[in-house]
Amino acid sequence: MNKKRVHTPEGVRDVYGTEYGQRSKLKAKLNKVFASYGYEGIRTPGFEFFDVFNSEKGTVSAREMFKFFDREGNTLVLRPDVTPSIARCIAKYFNEENMGIRLSYAGNVFLNNSSYQLKLKETCQLGAELVNDASVQADTESIAMAIDCFLAAGLTDFRLSIGEVEFFNGLTQTIKDEEVKTQLRELILNKNYFGLMEYVETLDLSDKIKDVFLHFNELNGDVAILDQAEAMVENEQSKKAIKRLRDVYDILKLYGKEQYVSFDLGMLNKHNYYTGIIFKGYTYGTGDAVLKGGRYDNLIEQFGKKAPSVGFAIVLDELMMALSRQGIHMEADHMDTMIIYKEATMKDAILRAEELRKEGKKVILERKNDLCSKSDYERFAKEHRLGGILYFI
């Protein structure tokens, strides 16, 4: 037997049994939250043309995509990010719509990460997008819904950290060299603050702006950090970003959810399509943000429709890991009864199974296996959390 046939490639895995049931239940809880805010489901293909995700759209780099070709020679990629797919759909199906469009989704994404990163290359994401709304109210709705998703999942100890891309853009508006801006972004994204300090000293920037960059890692905390940040900047672009964050906080108080958020003026996102508010959701038991989102006002326009938008995605695998490590119970579908029968009792067993199914019960009808003892069936029932066993033997 070729043992390689039973193994999965690096970075992907099988999901079955109790974990599969837990994932299904968790998805249902999150989808219920989306529906409660008026979001309708949408499903996009698992692979699309490369141009949907190329670098001009601001998504992941080409080397992180799984690429292949169709029969006509077109370059296709496994979907590395759902948001550009949603943007394409909006431009295609909702081009003339001016009212708010609320869409939610669940789907797998594929990233060709380096093996040393020890991350899954295929993960499941659930998310929501609010399109055709440039308001701070839309930003806040997205953040409030993200918080409700965490609460619905069973988390109690978590934090949504909120930043603003325009705060960084305001600091760099006098820099004409795009390579310099890119280098600054990379240093901040990698949290290489010592490297940031050294690099900033080589740039032709005012002492005021240099001082902000030198304290970038300190610009996070509760709402009071916004006052500190505002005192450090002079440009209107950064000041407007701070005001936007204040407005979000004030509206969050109307939702009664302000206690779940903090602010991080040093936050950036690797996806370049974000244009305003950005946010990430953190909890214990995972090494990365469980939720990421923000405002992207220019992305859909690249597909042919000008439509300011905001949304977020939850990495289901990370969320389940956090719930497990925190000891939070995760519900899963289970069978109510297993009926064990012999050939001689098959008729009675089937009739009983059908009666139970008509009552809405989930029933396993299992022919007696001579290799299995009663203790084997009881072990199976315990592992799969069966309600009970009926013996027709």
Side-chain angles (χ1 to χ4, degrees):
M1 178 181 175
N2 185 350
K3 291 185 177 180
K4 192 173 183 180
R5 290 180 180 175
V6 301
H7 293 286
T8 60
E10 179 186 339
V12 297
R13 66 189 186 95
D14 301 309
V15 178
Y16 59 96
T18 300
E19 183 184 356
Y20 184 91
Q22 290 171 336
R23 289 169 73 93
S24 297
K25 281 287 190 181
L26 187 52
K27 282 182 179 180
K29 288 181 178 180
L30 299 179
N31 282 325
K32 187 175 180 180
V33 174
F34 297 149
S36 73
Y37 279 77
Y39 286 68
E40 296 180 321
I42 186 171
R43 176 181 173 272
T44 62
F47 63 88
E48 301 214 33
F49 290 118
F50 170 74
D51 285 347
V52 173
F53 303 101
N54 68 26
S55 58
E56 291 180 6
K57 307 295 187 295
T59 185
V60 302
S61 66
R63 69 176 182 274
E64 291 184 301
M65 300 182 196
F66 287 96
K67 298 183 286 292
F68 56 102
F69 302 95
D70 64 12
R71 291 181 178 181
E72 286 71 43
N74 297 305
T75 303
L76 307 176
V77 297
L78 293 179
R79 177 179 56 203
D81 180 16
V82 181
T83 302
S85 293
I86 301 293
R88 175 189 58 76
C89 288
I90 294 292
K92 181 177 182 180
Y93 303 113
F94 301 92
N95 198 274
E96 303 301 320
E97 181 60 70
N98 294 315
M99 285 190 62
I101 303 168
R102 290 171 169 82
L103 299 173
S104 63
Y105 62 85
N108 288 5
V109 296
F110 305 85
L111 282 173
N112 195 10
N113 299 311
S114 300
S115 59
Y116 68 83
Q117 292 178 307
L118 300 177
K119 291 183 177 180
L120 288 172
K121 297 184 178 184
E122 179 187 17
T123 58
C124 179
Q125 291 186 359
L126 285 86
E129 314 292 344
L130 173 49
V131 181
N132 279 341
D133 195 333
S135 70
V136 68
Q137 289 84 356
D139 292 342
T140 314
E141 176 178 308
S142 192
I143 293 168
M145 186 164 57
I147 292 170
D148 279 343
C149 283
F150 275 180
L151 293 171
L155 290 174
T156 56
D157 196 350
F158 65 88
R159 179 68 50 180
L160 250 74
S161 184
I162 310 173
E164 238 285 0
V165 172
E166 289 301 293
F167 182 79
F168 172 82
N169 290 341
L171 295 173
T172 60
Q173 64 184 358
T174 61
I175 299 175
K176 305 304 180 185
D177 191 335
E178 290 300 320
E179 289 186 9
V180 173
K181 291 184 181 180
T182 299
Q183 182 62 24
L184 286 170
R185 282 180 53 85
E186 288 298 317
L187 290 168
I188 293 168
L189 281 170
N190 295 325
K191 298 189 181 301
N192 183 2
Y193 295 116
F194 290 109
L196 178 65
M197 292 178 187
E198 292 179 357
Y199 186 65
V200 166
E201 290 294 351
T202 68
L203 301 178
D204 183 20
L205 296 172
S206 69
D207 291 340
K208 189 87 170 178
I209 293 178
K210 283 185 178 181
D211 187 58
V212 177
F213 278 120
L214 294 177
H215 293 86
F216 229 52
N217 63 324
E218 301 171 11
L219 294 179
N220 59 83
D222 61 23
V223 67
I225 203 70
L226 300 181
D227 293 331
Q228 180 180 331
E230 186 172 33
M232 297 175 69
V233 296
E234 296 176 338
N235 71 86
E236 286 304 311
Q237 195 169 354
S238 295
K239 286 183 177 294
K240 284 179 65 176
I242 294 170
K243 182 183 184 304
R244 183 88 172 196
L245 293 175
R246 281 205 182 95
D247 291 343
V248 164
Y249 186 77
D250 288 341
I251 299 174
L252 274 176
K253 288 193 288 186
L254 299 178
Y255 281 92
K257 293 180 170 62
E258 73 277 8
Q259 69 270 29
Y260 298 108
V261 303
S262 60
F263 296 92
D264 184 355
L265 276 301
M267 182 190 298
L268 291 175
N269 194 295
K270 70 176 182 179
H271 294 328
N272 291 329
Y273 55 67
Y274 287 114
T275 58
I277 289 281
I278 51 175
F279 52 94
K280 298 179 181 180
Y282 296 95
T283 187
Y284 295 105
T286 178
D288 197 5
V290 176
L291 178 151
K292 297 178 182 179
R295 173 162 291 283
Y296 53 99
D297 285 347
N298 302 324
L299 177 61
I300 299 177
E301 189 173 4
Q302 297 182 51
F303 294 93
K305 175 181 172 63
K306 187 171 181 60
S309 309
V310 62
F312 66 86
I314 298 171
V315 183
L316 189 68
D317 305 82
E318 294 284 346
L319 178 55
M320 288 192 66
M321 183 189 303
L323 292 169
S324 176
R325 291 180 175 176
Q326 292 181 36
I328 297 173
H329 174 68
M330 286 182 277
E331 297 176 19
D333 284 327
H334 63 276
M335 295 297 154
D336 296 299
T337 305
M338 180 166 63
I339 297 176
I340 313 297
Y341 68 94
K342 288 183 176 180
E343 289 291 336
T345 59
M346 178 180 65
K347 179 180 177 180
D348 291 338
I350 291 175
L351 290 174
R352 182 57 179 149
E354 287 300 286
E355 288 175 1
L356 292 171
R357 286 168 181 154
K358 287 176 181 177
E359 295 173 7
K361 305 289 187 183
K362 300 172 185 175
V363 182
I364 297 174
L365 194 58
E366 181 78 6
R367 181 176 173 273
K368 177 71 171 71
N369 187 334
D370 292 336
L371 298 177
C372 296
S373 65
K374 188 174 181 179
S375 62
D376 289 326
Y377 290 121
E378 290 172 349
R379 173 187 53 79
F380 179 91
K382 183 178 180 180
E383 289 177 353
H384 293 266
R385 297 183 297 127
L386 293 178
I389 303 176
L390 295 178
Y391 292 97
F392 281 73
I393 55 177

